[in-house]
Amino acid sequence: MTDSTELSTAANWIRQSSSILIAAGAGLSASAVNPQYGVGLDYTSVAAFRQLYPRMTQVSTMRCMYDAIGKHDWTPELMWGYLFTHVDKCRFNWGSTSVYQDLKQILSNKPIDSFVITTNADGMFEQNKFDMTRFLSTQGDYSLLQCLKPCSQQSVYEARPYIERALPHINPQTMEVPSKYIPQCPRCGGSMFYCVRGGEWFIESAFDNQRHRYRDFLHRAIDKKNDLFTIIEVGVGFNTPSVLRWPMDKLVSEFKNVRLIRINMHAPDVPVHARKEKRTIGFDGDAAQIIRQLRDMVIA
Ligand SMILES: [Zn+2]
């Protein structure tokens, strides 16, 4: 049971703020249950993987979606058969989910300056029709492919046409795609991969515009010293803490007009000094439930 006093304090911060930042990690998408599949997009869940990709448990050593990251012991045909299927299902067709819609309602309750920053490359905010001019995807986006060399910083391409060409030819039994559908860089003919932070090859400049807009937002929110600026951080753990977790700790520790609402089932701890000043609260319950309760209080 979540402390109702803390919940109403958090809801008041949101109501009184003129700027709100949503900082989202893997835990948010894990709680985004797709009604058709009955599971959230939880990369570490064996049950979700079995439900979404029953054949993959037969034809590969994979046990969960996270196992695809850095996986080397599969053929390019199986790798692309899986990756095309996965990105089609999750990046483009997961659709609208309650927890994302609740967050959107929190932001649209009244006119405020808002922004979303996320380490999730799954495009869930776009699928839930958030304002994409107020959005930064720090680790890349599965909707883009890029050259793996890369032969140029411009070698970034929409993934959708490659996926649409390949999907009808993926063998549902073996999960393999014929090699002629494996994407090659149109510039140099070399190997491609999704435009995500998977190594030195990541073409981060594809997200420069998003990053500039995020910096502008932060400056505006921090500069308004007499206005509250609330950060709602959801499901951000310690996989890549230097990207979201520590920067959010730093913001609430450094700037007195910042409030930090941290929702994290496993690691809800918050910076001590800011906690003593009653400017941050950590919730360790289910993200979807807490966000629903916050939404109900905020829009009441
Ligand atoms: Zn290339």
PDB file of all heavy atoms in Angstrom, residues 195-225:
ATOM      1  N   CYS A 195      19.654   1.943 -35.106  1.00  0.00           N
ATOM      2  CA  CYS A 195      20.378   3.131 -34.659  1.00  0.00           C
ATOM      3  C   CYS A 195      20.171   3.295 -33.151  1.00  0.00           C
ATOM      4  O   CYS A 195      19.352   4.103 -32.697  1.00  0.00           O
ATOM      5  CB  CYS A 195      19.874   4.350 -35.437  1.00  0.00           C
ATOM      6  SG  CYS A 195      20.838   5.832 -35.149  1.00  0.00           S
ATOM      7  N   VAL A 196      20.900   2.460 -32.394  1.00  0.00           N
ATOM      8  CA  VAL A 196      20.806   2.470 -30.930  1.00  0.00           C
ATOM      9  C   VAL A 196      22.218   2.433 -30.352  1.00  0.00           C
ATOM     10  O   VAL A 196      23.169   2.027 -31.038  1.00  0.00           O
ATOM     11  CB  VAL A 196      19.991   1.260 -30.396  1.00  0.00           C
ATOM     12  CG1 VAL A 196      18.523   1.384 -30.779  1.00  0.00           C
ATOM     13  CG2 VAL A 196      20.561  -0.068 -30.905  1.00  0.00           C
ATOM     14  N   ARG A 197      22.354   2.846 -29.096  1.00  0.00           N
ATOM     15  CA  ARG A 197      23.673   2.930 -28.488  1.00  0.00           C
ATOM     16  C   ARG A 197      24.195   1.529 -28.146  1.00  0.00           C
ATOM     17  O   ARG A 197      24.156   1.086 -27.006  1.00  0.00           O
ATOM     18  CB  ARG A 197      23.617   3.792 -27.218  1.00  0.00           C
ATOM     19  CG  ARG A 197      24.990   4.250 -26.726  1.00  0.00           C
ATOM     20  CD  ARG A 197      24.876   4.990 -25.406  1.00  0.00           C
ATOM     21  NE  ARG A 197      24.035   6.177 -25.482  1.00  0.00           N
ATOM     22  CZ  ARG A 197      24.442   7.364 -25.939  1.00  0.00           C
ATOM     23  NH1 ARG A 197      25.671   7.524 -26.345  1.00  0.00           N
ATOM     24  NH2 ARG A 197      23.611   8.386 -25.967  1.00  0.00           N
ATOM     25  N   GLY A 198      24.690   0.831 -29.172  1.00  0.00           N
ATOM     26  CA  GLY A 198      25.167  -0.533 -28.970  1.00  0.00           C
ATOM     27  C   GLY A 198      26.676  -0.627 -29.051  1.00  0.00           C
ATOM     28  O   GLY A 198      27.261  -1.689 -28.834  1.00  0.00           O
ATOM     29  N   GLY A 199      27.329   0.482 -29.372  1.00  0.00           N
ATOM     30  CA  GLY A 199      28.788   0.473 -29.499  1.00  0.00           C
ATOM     31  C   GLY A 199      29.266   1.810 -30.015  1.00  0.00           C
ATOM     32  O   GLY A 199      28.477   2.746 -30.194  1.00  0.00           O
ATOM     33  N   GLU A 200      30.567   1.875 -30.292  1.00  0.00           N
ATOM     34  CA  GLU A 200      31.179   3.117 -30.784  1.00  0.00           C
ATOM     35  C   GLU A 200      30.548   3.582 -32.095  1.00  0.00           C
ATOM     36  O   GLU A 200      30.606   4.754 -32.449  1.00  0.00           O
ATOM     37  CB  GLU A 200      32.685   2.892 -31.009  1.00  0.00           C
ATOM     38  CG  GLU A 200      33.490   2.773 -29.730  1.00  0.00           C
ATOM     39  CD  GLU A 200      33.533   4.085 -28.965  1.00  0.00           C
ATOM     40  OE1 GLU A 200      33.865   5.102 -29.586  1.00  0.00           O
ATOM     41  OE2 GLU A 200      33.205   4.087 -27.763  1.00  0.00           O
ATOM     42  N   TRP A 201      29.945   2.641 -32.819  1.00  0.00           N
ATOM     43  CA  TRP A 201      29.393   2.947 -34.139  1.00  0.00           C
ATOM     44  C   TRP A 201      28.108   3.779 -34.090  1.00  0.00           C
ATOM     45  O   TRP A 201      27.667   4.328 -35.094  1.00  0.00           O
ATOM     46  CB  TRP A 201      29.133   1.643 -34.910  1.00  0.00           C
ATOM     47  CG  TRP A 201      28.496   0.555 -34.087  1.00  0.00           C
ATOM     48  CD1 TRP A 201      29.138  -0.482 -33.470  1.00  0.00           C
ATOM     49  CD2 TRP A 201      27.101   0.395 -33.771  1.00  0.00           C
ATOM     50  NE1 TRP A 201      28.230  -1.280 -32.794  1.00  0.00           N
ATOM     51  CE2 TRP A 201      26.984  -0.762 -32.964  1.00  0.00           C
ATOM     52  CE3 TRP A 201      25.948   1.105 -34.089  1.00  0.00           C
ATOM     53  CZ2 TRP A 201      25.756  -1.219 -32.467  1.00  0.00           C
ATOM     54  CZ3 TRP A 201      24.718   0.659 -33.597  1.00  0.00           C
ATOM     55  CH2 TRP A 201      24.636  -0.489 -32.798  1.00  0.00           C
ATOM     56  N   PHE A 202      27.490   3.888 -32.933  1.00  0.00           N
ATOM     57  CA  PHE A 202      26.190   4.575 -32.806  1.00  0.00           C
ATOM     58  C   PHE A 202      26.254   5.998 -33.369  1.00  0.00           C
ATOM     59  O   PHE A 202      27.097   6.796 -32.971  1.00  0.00           O
ATOM     60  CB  PHE A 202      25.787   4.604 -31.333  1.00  0.00           C
ATOM     61  CG  PHE A 202      24.514   5.367 -31.028  1.00  0.00           C
ATOM     62  CD1 PHE A 202      23.389   5.257 -31.839  1.00  0.00           C
ATOM     63  CD2 PHE A 202      24.439   6.185 -29.904  1.00  0.00           C
ATOM     64  CE1 PHE A 202      22.219   5.944 -31.544  1.00  0.00           C
ATOM     65  CE2 PHE A 202      23.275   6.878 -29.602  1.00  0.00           C
ATOM     66  CZ  PHE A 202      22.164   6.758 -30.419  1.00  0.00           C
ATOM     67  N   ILE A 203      25.366   6.307 -34.321  1.00  0.00           N
ATOM     68  CA  ILE A 203      25.323   7.651 -34.911  1.00  0.00           C
ATOM     69  C   ILE A 203      24.412   8.522 -34.048  1.00  0.00           C
ATOM     70  O   ILE A 203      23.228   8.708 -34.328  1.00  0.00           O
ATOM     71  CB  ILE A 203      24.860   7.612 -36.384  1.00  0.00           C
ATOM     72  CG1 ILE A 203      25.815   6.720 -37.204  1.00  0.00           C
ATOM     73  CG2 ILE A 203      24.820   9.026 -36.979  1.00  0.00           C
ATOM     74  CD1 ILE A 203      25.466   6.613 -38.683  1.00  0.00           C
ATOM     75  N   GLU A 204      25.010   9.046 -32.992  1.00  0.00           N
ATOM     76  CA  GLU A 204      24.253   9.807 -32.001  1.00  0.00           C
ATOM     77  C   GLU A 204      23.738  11.130 -32.571  1.00  0.00           C
ATOM     78  O   GLU A 204      22.729  11.671 -32.113  1.00  0.00           O
ATOM     79  CB  GLU A 204      25.154  10.062 -30.786  1.00  0.00           C
ATOM     80  CG  GLU A 204      24.405  10.558 -29.581  1.00  0.00           C
ATOM     81  CD  GLU A 204      25.222  10.458 -28.294  1.00  0.00           C
ATOM     82  OE1 GLU A 204      26.424  10.118 -28.375  1.00  0.00           O
ATOM     83  OE2 GLU A 204      24.652  10.719 -27.233  1.00  0.00           O
ATOM     84  N   SER A 205      24.432  11.626 -33.604  1.00  0.00           N
ATOM     85  CA  SER A 205      24.039  12.924 -34.169  1.00  0.00           C
ATOM     86  C   SER A 205      22.638  12.882 -34.778  1.00  0.00           C
ATOM     87  O   SER A 205      22.025  13.925 -34.991  1.00  0.00           O
ATOM     88  CB  SER A 205      25.057  13.382 -35.212  1.00  0.00           C
ATOM     89  OG  SER A 205      25.174  12.409 -36.231  1.00  0.00           O
ATOM     90  N   ALA A 206      22.112  11.673 -35.030  1.00  0.00           N
ATOM     91  CA  ALA A 206      20.744  11.572 -35.538  1.00  0.00           C
ATOM     92  C   ALA A 206      19.748  12.144 -34.532  1.00  0.00           C
ATOM     93  O   ALA A 206      18.605  12.440 -34.885  1.00  0.00           O
ATOM     94  CB  ALA A 206      20.402  10.110 -35.847  1.00  0.00           C
ATOM     95  N   PHE A 207      20.184  12.307 -33.277  1.00  0.00           N
ATOM     96  CA  PHE A 207      19.287  12.782 -32.220  1.00  0.00           C
ATOM     97  C   PHE A 207      19.684  14.162 -31.695  1.00  0.00           C
ATOM     98  O   PHE A 207      19.223  14.584 -30.641  1.00  0.00           O
ATOM     99  CB  PHE A 207      19.234  11.749 -31.081  1.00  0.00           C
ATOM    100  CG  PHE A 207      18.797  10.398 -31.580  1.00  0.00           C
ATOM    101  CD1 PHE A 207      19.731   9.476 -32.033  1.00  0.00           C
ATOM    102  CD2 PHE A 207      17.456  10.076 -31.666  1.00  0.00           C
ATOM    103  CE1 PHE A 207      19.330   8.250 -32.546  1.00  0.00           C
ATOM    104  CE2 PHE A 207      17.043   8.860 -32.176  1.00  0.00           C
ATOM    105  CZ  PHE A 207      17.983   7.940 -32.619  1.00  0.00           C
ATOM    106  N   ASP A 208      20.534  14.856 -32.455  1.00  0.00           N
ATOM    107  CA  ASP A 208      21.010  16.174 -32.016  1.00  0.00           C
ATOM    108  C   ASP A 208      19.870  17.167 -31.791  1.00  0.00           C
ATOM    109  O   ASP A 208      19.880  17.918 -30.818  1.00  0.00           O
ATOM    110  CB  ASP A 208      21.992  16.758 -33.046  1.00  0.00           C
ATOM    111  CG  ASP A 208      23.396  16.199 -32.854  1.00  0.00           C
ATOM    112  OD1 ASP A 208      23.610  15.467 -31.859  1.00  0.00           O
ATOM    113  OD2 ASP A 208      24.276  16.474 -33.692  1.00  0.00           O
ATOM    114  N   ASN A 209      18.894  17.174 -32.699  1.00  0.00           N
ATOM    115  CA  ASN A 209      17.790  18.130 -32.548  1.00  0.00           C
ATOM    116  C   ASN A 209      17.020  17.885 -31.257  1.00  0.00           C
ATOM    117  O   ASN A 209      16.678  18.822 -30.538  1.00  0.00           O
ATOM    118  CB  ASN A 209      16.831  18.047 -33.743  1.00  0.00           C
ATOM    119  CG  ASN A 209      17.461  18.633 -34.990  1.00  0.00           C
ATOM    120  OD1 ASN A 209      18.417  19.412 -34.899  1.00  0.00           O
ATOM    121  ND2 ASN A 209      16.950  18.252 -36.151  1.00  0.00           N
ATOM    122  N   GLN A 210      16.760  16.594 -30.981  1.00  0.00           N
ATOM    123  CA  GLN A 210      16.062  16.254 -29.738  1.00  0.00           C
ATOM    124  C   GLN A 210      16.874  16.721 -28.531  1.00  0.00           C
ATOM    125  O   GLN A 210      16.329  17.273 -27.581  1.00  0.00           O
ATOM    126  CB  GLN A 210      15.868  14.734 -29.629  1.00  0.00           C
ATOM    127  CG  GLN A 210      14.904  14.147 -30.639  1.00  0.00           C
ATOM    128  CD  GLN A 210      14.659  12.658 -30.388  1.00  0.00           C
ATOM    129  OE1 GLN A 210      15.205  12.060 -29.461  1.00  0.00           O
ATOM    130  NE2 GLN A 210      13.829  12.059 -31.224  1.00  0.00           N
ATOM    131  N   ARG A 211      18.200  16.509 -28.590  1.00  0.00           N
ATOM    132  CA  ARG A 211      19.058  16.846 -27.452  1.00  0.00           C
ATOM    133  C   ARG A 211      19.097  18.355 -27.219  1.00  0.00           C
ATOM    134  O   ARG A 211      19.066  18.815 -26.082  1.00  0.00           O
ATOM    135  CB  ARG A 211      20.466  16.283 -27.677  1.00  0.00           C
ATOM    136  CG  ARG A 211      21.320  16.267 -26.414  1.00  0.00           C
ATOM    137  CD  ARG A 211      22.561  15.411 -26.540  1.00  0.00           C
ATOM    138  NE  ARG A 211      22.229  14.010 -26.718  1.00  0.00           N
ATOM    139  CZ  ARG A 211      22.243  13.367 -27.883  1.00  0.00           C
ATOM    140  NH1 ARG A 211      22.598  13.998 -28.992  1.00  0.00           N
ATOM    141  NH2 ARG A 211      21.903  12.098 -27.946  1.00  0.00           N
ATOM    142  N   HIS A 212      19.149  19.123 -28.304  1.00  0.00           N
ATOM    143  CA  HIS A 212      19.151  20.583 -28.160  1.00  0.00           C
ATOM    144  C   HIS A 212      17.853  21.065 -27.513  1.00  0.00           C
ATOM    145  O   HIS A 212      17.863  21.933 -26.644  1.00  0.00           O
ATOM    146  CB  HIS A 212      19.338  21.258 -29.522  1.00  0.00           C
ATOM    147  CG  HIS A 212      20.705  21.018 -30.096  1.00  0.00           C
ATOM    148  ND1 HIS A 212      20.954  20.964 -31.449  1.00  0.00           N
ATOM    149  CD2 HIS A 212      21.897  20.788 -29.482  1.00  0.00           C
ATOM    150  CE1 HIS A 212      22.239  20.713 -31.644  1.00  0.00           C
ATOM    151  NE2 HIS A 212      22.832  20.600 -30.470  1.00  0.00           N
ATOM    152  N   ARG A 213      16.740  20.479 -27.950  1.00  0.00           N
ATOM    153  CA  ARG A 213      15.451  20.903 -27.384  1.00  0.00           C
ATOM    154  C   ARG A 213      15.360  20.535 -25.900  1.00  0.00           C
ATOM    155  O   ARG A 213      14.777  21.261 -25.105  1.00  0.00           O
ATOM    156  CB  ARG A 213      14.291  20.284 -28.174  1.00  0.00           C
ATOM    157  CG  ARG A 213      14.118  20.916 -29.558  1.00  0.00           C
ATOM    158  CD  ARG A 213      12.780  20.558 -30.191  1.00  0.00           C
ATOM    159  NE  ARG A 213      12.735  19.175 -30.615  1.00  0.00           N
ATOM    160  CZ  ARG A 213      12.896  18.767 -31.881  1.00  0.00           C
ATOM    161  NH1 ARG A 213      13.111  19.656 -32.840  1.00  0.00           N
ATOM    162  NH2 ARG A 213      12.838  17.494 -32.194  1.00  0.00           N
ATOM    163  N   TYR A 214      15.966  19.402 -25.518  1.00  0.00           N
ATOM    164  CA  TYR A 214      15.974  19.005 -24.107  1.00  0.00           C
ATOM    165  C   TYR A 214      16.779  20.009 -23.279  1.00  0.00           C
ATOM    166  O   TYR A 214      16.344  20.452 -22.217  1.00  0.00           O
ATOM    167  CB  TYR A 214      16.556  17.597 -23.956  1.00  0.00           C
ATOM    168  CG  TYR A 214      16.749  17.166 -22.512  1.00  0.00           C
ATOM    169  CD1 TYR A 214      15.652  17.038 -21.657  1.00  0.00           C
ATOM    170  CD2 TYR A 214      18.020  16.889 -22.004  1.00  0.00           C
ATOM    171  CE1 TYR A 214      15.823  16.647 -20.334  1.00  0.00           C
ATOM    172  CE2 TYR A 214      18.193  16.500 -20.682  1.00  0.00           C
ATOM    173  CZ  TYR A 214      17.094  16.379 -19.853  1.00  0.00           C
ATOM    174  OH  TYR A 214      17.261  15.997 -18.545  1.00  0.00           O
ATOM    175  N   ARG A 215      17.947  20.392 -23.796  1.00  0.00           N
ATOM    176  CA  ARG A 215      18.782  21.365 -23.066  1.00  0.00           C
ATOM    177  C   ARG A 215      18.051  22.690 -22.902  1.00  0.00           C
ATOM    178  O   ARG A 215      18.076  23.295 -21.829  1.00  0.00           O
ATOM    179  CB  ARG A 215      20.103  21.592 -23.804  1.00  0.00           C
ATOM    180  CG  ARG A 215      21.052  20.449 -23.575  1.00  0.00           C
ATOM    181  CD  ARG A 215      22.502  20.830 -23.860  1.00  0.00           C
ATOM    182  NE  ARG A 215      23.274  19.607 -23.974  1.00  0.00           N
ATOM    183  CZ  ARG A 215      23.939  19.234 -25.056  1.00  0.00           C
ATOM    184  NH1 ARG A 215      23.989  20.023 -26.115  1.00  0.00           N
ATOM    185  NH2 ARG A 215      24.588  18.094 -25.077  1.00  0.00           N
ATOM    186  N   ASP A 216      17.367  23.117 -23.971  1.00  0.00           N
ATOM    187  CA  ASP A 216      16.598  24.371 -23.888  1.00  0.00           C
ATOM    188  C   ASP A 216      15.517  24.265 -22.814  1.00  0.00           C
ATOM    189  O   ASP A 216      15.307  25.185 -22.030  1.00  0.00           O
ATOM    190  CB  ASP A 216      15.940  24.694 -25.240  1.00  0.00           C
ATOM    191  CG  ASP A 216      16.973  25.110 -26.279  1.00  0.00           C
ATOM    192  OD1 ASP A 216      18.126  25.394 -25.885  1.00  0.00           O
ATOM    193  OD2 ASP A 216      16.628  25.146 -27.477  1.00  0.00           O
ATOM    194  N   PHE A 217      14.821  23.131 -22.803  1.00  0.00           N
ATOM    195  CA  PHE A 217      13.769  22.924 -21.803  1.00  0.00           C
ATOM    196  C   PHE A 217      14.351  23.010 -20.392  1.00  0.00           C
ATOM    197  O   PHE A 217      13.812  23.700 -19.526  1.00  0.00           O
ATOM    198  CB  PHE A 217      13.086  21.566 -22.009  1.00  0.00           C
ATOM    199  CG  PHE A 217      12.280  21.123 -20.812  1.00  0.00           C
ATOM    200  CD1 PHE A 217      11.002  21.629 -20.595  1.00  0.00           C
ATOM    201  CD2 PHE A 217      12.811  20.230 -19.887  1.00  0.00           C
ATOM    202  CE1 PHE A 217      10.267  21.247 -19.474  1.00  0.00           C
ATOM    203  CE2 PHE A 217      12.089  19.845 -18.763  1.00  0.00           C
ATOM    204  CZ  PHE A 217      10.812  20.356 -18.556  1.00  0.00           C
ATOM    205  N   LEU A 218      15.468  22.288 -20.171  1.00  0.00           N
ATOM    206  CA  LEU A 218      16.073  22.287 -18.831  1.00  0.00           C
ATOM    207  C   LEU A 218      16.439  23.698 -18.385  1.00  0.00           C
ATOM    208  O   LEU A 218      16.181  24.086 -17.246  1.00  0.00           O
ATOM    209  CB  LEU A 218      17.339  21.425 -18.824  1.00  0.00           C
ATOM    210  CG  LEU A 218      17.211  19.946 -18.462  1.00  0.00           C
ATOM    211  CD1 LEU A 218      18.593  19.352 -18.244  1.00  0.00           C
ATOM    212  CD2 LEU A 218      16.333  19.714 -17.238  1.00  0.00           C
ATOM    213  N   HIS A 219      17.040  24.462 -19.293  1.00  0.00           N
ATOM    214  CA  HIS A 219      17.411  25.838 -18.941  1.00  0.00           C
ATOM    215  C   HIS A 219      16.190  26.651 -18.545  1.00  0.00           C
ATOM    216  O   HIS A 219      16.202  27.343 -17.536  1.00  0.00           O
ATOM    217  CB  HIS A 219      18.157  26.512 -20.102  1.00  0.00           C
ATOM    218  CG  HIS A 219      19.563  26.025 -20.219  1.00  0.00           C
ATOM    219  ND1 HIS A 219      20.178  25.800 -21.432  1.00  0.00           N
ATOM    220  CD2 HIS A 219      20.472  25.694 -19.271  1.00  0.00           C
ATOM    221  CE1 HIS A 219      21.408  25.353 -21.218  1.00  0.00           C
ATOM    222  NE2 HIS A 219      21.610  25.284 -19.921  1.00  0.00           N
ATOM    223  N   ARG A 220      15.131  26.539 -19.352  1.00  0.00           N
ATOM    224  CA  ARG A 220      13.902  27.287 -19.031  1.00  0.00           C
ATOM    225  C   ARG A 220      13.378  26.895 -17.653  1.00  0.00           C
ATOM    226  O   ARG A 220      13.051  27.741 -16.826  1.00  0.00           O
ATOM    227  CB  ARG A 220      12.804  26.982 -20.069  1.00  0.00           C
ATOM    228  CG  ARG A 220      12.980  27.611 -21.425  1.00  0.00           C
ATOM    229  CD  ARG A 220      11.660  27.597 -22.216  1.00  0.00           C
ATOM    230  NE  ARG A 220      11.055  26.276 -22.366  1.00  0.00           N
ATOM    231  CZ  ARG A 220      11.343  25.413 -23.347  1.00  0.00           C
ATOM    232  NH1 ARG A 220      12.239  25.735 -24.272  1.00  0.00           N
ATOM    233  NH2 ARG A 220      10.737  24.242 -23.420  1.00  0.00           N
ATOM    234  N   ALA A 221      13.311  25.570 -17.401  1.00  0.00           N
ATOM    235  CA  ALA A 221      12.695  25.072 -16.167  1.00  0.00           C
ATOM    236  C   ALA A 221      13.513  25.464 -14.939  1.00  0.00           C
ATOM    237  O   ALA A 221      12.963  25.811 -13.894  1.00  0.00           O
ATOM    238  CB  ALA A 221      12.533  23.556 -16.247  1.00  0.00           C
ATOM    239  N   ILE A 222      14.829  25.425 -15.064  1.00  0.00           N
ATOM    240  CA  ILE A 222      15.696  25.730 -13.926  1.00  0.00           C
ATOM    241  C   ILE A 222      15.760  27.238 -13.674  1.00  0.00           C
ATOM    242  O   ILE A 222      15.793  27.690 -12.534  1.00  0.00           O
ATOM    243  CB  ILE A 222      17.108  25.150 -14.172  1.00  0.00           C
ATOM    244  CG1 ILE A 222      17.055  23.619 -14.065  1.00  0.00           C
ATOM    245  CG2 ILE A 222      18.109  25.700 -13.165  1.00  0.00           C
ATOM    246  CD1 ILE A 222      18.263  22.944 -14.651  1.00  0.00           C
ATOM    247  N   ASP A 223      15.748  27.998 -14.779  1.00  0.00           N
ATOM    248  CA  ASP A 223      15.866  29.455 -14.644  1.00  0.00           C
ATOM    249  C   ASP A 223      14.675  30.087 -13.932  1.00  0.00           C
ATOM    250  O   ASP A 223      14.812  31.122 -13.291  1.00  0.00           O
ATOM    251  CB  ASP A 223      16.041  30.106 -16.024  1.00  0.00           C
ATOM    252  CG  ASP A 223      17.458  29.896 -16.545  1.00  0.00           C
ATOM    253  OD1 ASP A 223      18.299  29.438 -15.746  1.00  0.00           O
ATOM    254  OD2 ASP A 223      17.713  30.168 -17.734  1.00  0.00           O
ATOM    255  N   LYS A 224      13.508  29.454 -14.068  1.00  0.00           N
ATOM    256  CA  LYS A 224      12.321  30.015 -13.390  1.00  0.00           C
ATOM    257  C   LYS A 224      12.376  29.615 -11.914  1.00  0.00           C
ATOM    258  O   LYS A 224      11.665  28.720 -11.459  1.00  0.00           O
ATOM    259  CB  LYS A 224      11.037  29.490 -14.050  1.00  0.00           C
ATOM    260  CG  LYS A 224      10.757  30.120 -15.403  1.00  0.00           C
ATOM    261  CD  LYS A 224       9.442  29.622 -15.990  1.00  0.00           C
ATOM    262  CE  LYS A 224       9.666  28.419 -16.865  1.00  0.00           C
ATOM    263  NZ  LYS A 224       8.478  27.864 -17.501  1.00  0.00           N
ATOM    264  N   LYS A 225      13.227  30.300 -11.182  1.00  0.00           N
ATOM    265  CA  LYS A 225      13.546  29.883  -9.812  1.00  0.00           C
ATOM    266  C   LYS A 225      12.355  29.906  -8.864  1.00  0.00           C
ATOM    267  O   LYS A 225      12.327  29.201  -7.864  1.00  0.00           O
ATOM    268  CB  LYS A 225      14.657  30.782  -9.250  1.00  0.00           C
ATOM    269  CG  LYS A 225      16.000  30.561  -9.913  1.00  0.00           C
ATOM    270  CD  LYS A 225      17.083  31.330  -9.183  1.00  0.00           C
ATOM    271  CE  LYS A 225      18.454  31.073  -9.774  1.00  0.00           C
ATOM    272  NZ  LYS A 225      18.551  31.482 -11.204  1.00  0.00           N
TER     273      LYS A 225
END
